[in-house]
């Protein structure tokens, strides 16, 4: 991917897409194409077809998706399967038809079976039952992986698929009900501190284990793989370390300097007991994460505090955030 190539980032306002945009800009790419969802509805094939015919991008990062935490997945299963299937189908098919040189499809670590051996190897895909809370999302992502592989096989495309672990960082969704655990907890602890509350409620038992990766690391991995990786087989993107939700809650309590106590609401779902990716393949390809968890969370909290109004009123325009590492 040369600096002058035309690069389309689908989903450039989301957590991953905005990190890829920051990274490419920092590296000097100046032929980047983006569209907001109100300018281009990726669920509408006609609009997507016209867009690709007009713009003819060379490279595509497919980071557009309907995403959310455990509660959003449970509450809106139809949206999660419909939006993701249609977005990825339209983008992948029109990328092929318009002659895109290479496309990178972003999946998720939730594509793996609920009880997969840990750490999870890429080979464990489709070897067991999915976690029910996010099966509609996971099935859509699995279909996307297979679609990329099928287009490679039948049409000779170069479409690769990467599976990032749970991501966090600037540009995240901080909705109290629909967000992922880290942004939700950052907001809850921050608001408890400024409102002088005595406790924060953490969902579930606190025992599930999750692996977390800063989104700037994930963006760097995507860029690296776009440059170096051409195999149709999927690649995990992770930090290689996991923690219990209780440990994460205590770490965020420390970072936000909240002085009260934690309450665990066991009526809320735990989801998958453990989700730690095996990242040997990525390491053997020459890439490793660099942003340490505590440092990444501290800078994420700083960004949240500085842009609090925009994060709690997401309809208002957000300020641009700086790339952490290039
Ligand atoms: O991040 P999260 O929503 O999603 O939740 P998953 C992770 C764990 O944190 C669960 C607990 O055990 C939650 O019960 N948790 C504790 C909380 N407090 C909170 C809170 O305030 N908010 C949230 N959201 N969780 C998602 C999938 O699974 O992972 C998605 O549903 C996607 O489809 C994503 O794949 C990466 O890690 O369980």
């Amino acid at each position: 991917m040369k600096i002058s190539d035309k690069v389309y980032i689908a989903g450039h306002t989301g957590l991953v897409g905005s990190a890829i945009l920051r990274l490419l800009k920092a590296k000097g790419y100046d032929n980047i194409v983006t569209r907001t969802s109100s300018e281009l509805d990726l669920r509408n094939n006609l609009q997507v077809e016209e867009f690709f015919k007009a713009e003819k991008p060379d490279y595509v990062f497919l980071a557009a998706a309907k995403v959310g935490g455990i509660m959003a997945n449970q509450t809106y299963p139809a949206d999660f399967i419909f939006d993701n299937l249609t977005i990825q189908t339209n983008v992948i098919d029109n990328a092929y038809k318009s002659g895109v040189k290479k496309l990178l499809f972003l999946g998720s670590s939730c594509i793996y079976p609920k009880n997969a051996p840990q750490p999870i190897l890429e080979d464990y895909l489709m070897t067991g039952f999915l976690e029910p809370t996010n099966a509609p999302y996971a099935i859509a992502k699995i279909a996307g992986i297979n679609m990329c592989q099928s287009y490679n096989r039948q049409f000779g495309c170069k479409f690769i698929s990467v599976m990032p672990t749970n991501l966090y960082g600037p540009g995240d969704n901080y909705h109290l009900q629909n967000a992922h655990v880290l942004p939700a907890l950052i907001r809850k602890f921050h608001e408890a501190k400024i409102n002088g509350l005595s406790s924060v409620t953490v969902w579930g038992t606190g025992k599930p284990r999750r692996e977390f990766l800063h989104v700037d690391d994930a963006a760097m991995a995507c860029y690296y793989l776009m440059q170096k990786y051409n195999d149709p087989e999927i690649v995990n993107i992770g930090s290689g370390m996991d923690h219990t939700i209780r440990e994460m809650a205590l770490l965020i309590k420390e970072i936000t300097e909240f002085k009260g106590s934690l309450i665990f609401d066991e009526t809320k779902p735990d989801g998958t007991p453990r989700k730690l990716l095996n990242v040997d393949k990525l390491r053997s390809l020459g890439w490793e994460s660099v942003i340490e968890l505590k440092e990444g969370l501290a800078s994420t909290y700083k960004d949240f505090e500085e842009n609090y109004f925009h994060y709690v009123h997401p309809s208002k325009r957000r300020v641009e955030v700086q790339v952490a590492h290039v």
Side-chain angles (χ1 to χ4, degrees):
M1 199 169 84
K2 297 191 297 291
I3 295 282
S4 56
D5 283 327
K6 190 180 254 195
V7 184
Y8 170 46
I9 305 172
H12 75 288
T13 59
L15 177 65
V16 183
S18 61
I20 293 173
L21 180 61
R22 286 197 298 278
L23 179 64
L24 294 189
K25 279 185 177 170
K27 285 187 177 290
Y29 285 84
D30 59 3
N31 198 3
I32 303 170
V33 187
T34 57
R35 293 286 188 282
T36 62
S37 54
S38 51
E39 290 164 344
L40 170 62
D41 182 353
L42 292 173
R43 296 167 305 179
N44 180 322
N45 190 45
L46 211 61
Q47 288 185 23
V48 180
E49 193 180 350
E50 279 166 10
F51 165 77
F52 272 90
K53 272 187 187 156
E55 289 291 350
K56 293 200 183 320
D58 298 305
Y59 290 83
V60 175
F61 288 92
L62 178 37
K66 169 98 183 163
V67 296
I70 195 162
M71 207 55 90
N73 274 263
Q74 268 198 324
T75 315
Y76 310 106
D79 291 347
F80 273 79
I81 192 156
F82 179 83
D83 287 2
N84 287 306
L85 280 175
T86 49
I87 289 170
Q88 69 203 29
T89 299
N90 294 341
V91 174
I92 293 169
D93 186 55
N94 286 297
Y96 151 63
K97 287 178 178 154
S98 72
V100 163
K101 289 182 188 149
K102 191 166 174 181
L103 174 146
L104 181 143
F105 172 64
L106 276 134
S108 161
S109 59
C110 74
I111 57 157
Y112 293 111
K114 173 173 184 154
N115 294 315
Q118 307 285 319
I120 309 170
L121 272 170
E122 285 87 350
D123 289 350
Y124 299 161
L125 180 61
M126 307 261 273
T127 57
F129 292 106
L130 297 166
E131 154 62 30
T133 53
N134 60 33
Y137 178 72
I139 286 171
K141 290 292 183 184
I142 294 168
I145 295 166
N146 196 285
M147 192 164 170
C148 288
Q149 293 169 338
S150 300
Y151 275 56
N152 294 346
R153 233 180 33 241
Q154 188 175 339
F155 303 129
C157 296
K158 230 196 262 179
F159 293 169
I160 63 169
S161 300
V162 303
M163 301 305 123
T165 194
N166 290 37
L167 304 175
Y168 70 96
D172 211 340
N173 163 20
Y174 284 87
H175 191 280
L176 288 170
Q177 294 300 315
N178 297 334
H180 288 104
V181 59
L182 295 188
L185 291 184
I186 287 174
R187 178 168 174 185
K188 284 189 200 174
F189 279 103
H190 176 73
E191 291 182 346
K193 181 181 73 173
I194 57 175
N195 294 319
L197 305 185
S198 58
S199 64
V200 162
T201 301
V202 180
W203 294 352
T205 59
K207 291 180 187 148
R209 299 185 71 87
R210 293 287 184 274
E211 175 190 17
F212 297 100
L213 184 73
H214 193 283
V215 72
D216 285 342
D217 261 338
M220 279 192 288
C222 289
Y223 177 72
Y224 186 85
L225 292 169
M226 186 62 120
Q227 301 284 38
K228 306 235 174 198
Y229 188 72
N230 288 311
D231 199 286
E233 296 307 322
I234 61 178
V235 188
N236 289 340
I237 299 179
S239 61
M241 271 180 304
D242 67 348
H243 304 269
T244 65
I245 296 301
R246 175 186 289 273
E247 286 165 354
M248 295 311 300
L250 290 171
L251 183 56
I252 294 171
K253 173 173 151 52
E254 183 191 324
I255 289 169
T256 55
E257 297 178 348
F258 170 67
K259 302 294 177 214
S261 59
L262 307 187
I263 294 171
F264 288 88
D265 175 1
E266 298 196 11
T267 64
K268 292 285 194 303
D270 269 345
T272 304
R274 193 174 182 203
K275 209 163 36 170
L276 173 64
L277 294 178
N278 182 313
V279 288
D280 288 351
K281 184 171 178 177
L282 186 58
R283 285 186 180 145
S284 72
L285 290 165
W287 190 89
E288 233 173 299
S289 64
V290 295
I291 305 175
E292 194 263 324
L293 183 61
K294 195 170 175 182
E295 174 205 333
L297 275 174
S299 62
T300 300
Y301 177 50
K302 188 165 175 277
D303 167 69
F304 174 71
E305 263 192 305
E306 284 170 6
N307 299 293
Y308 179 75
F309 178 82
H310 300 280
Y311 280 126
V312 302
H313 300 100
S315 56
K316 308 278 184 293
R317 221 170 72 84
R318 285 201 49 250
V319 293
E320 286 223 350
V321 282
Q322 295 301 307
V323 66
H325 296 255
V326 181

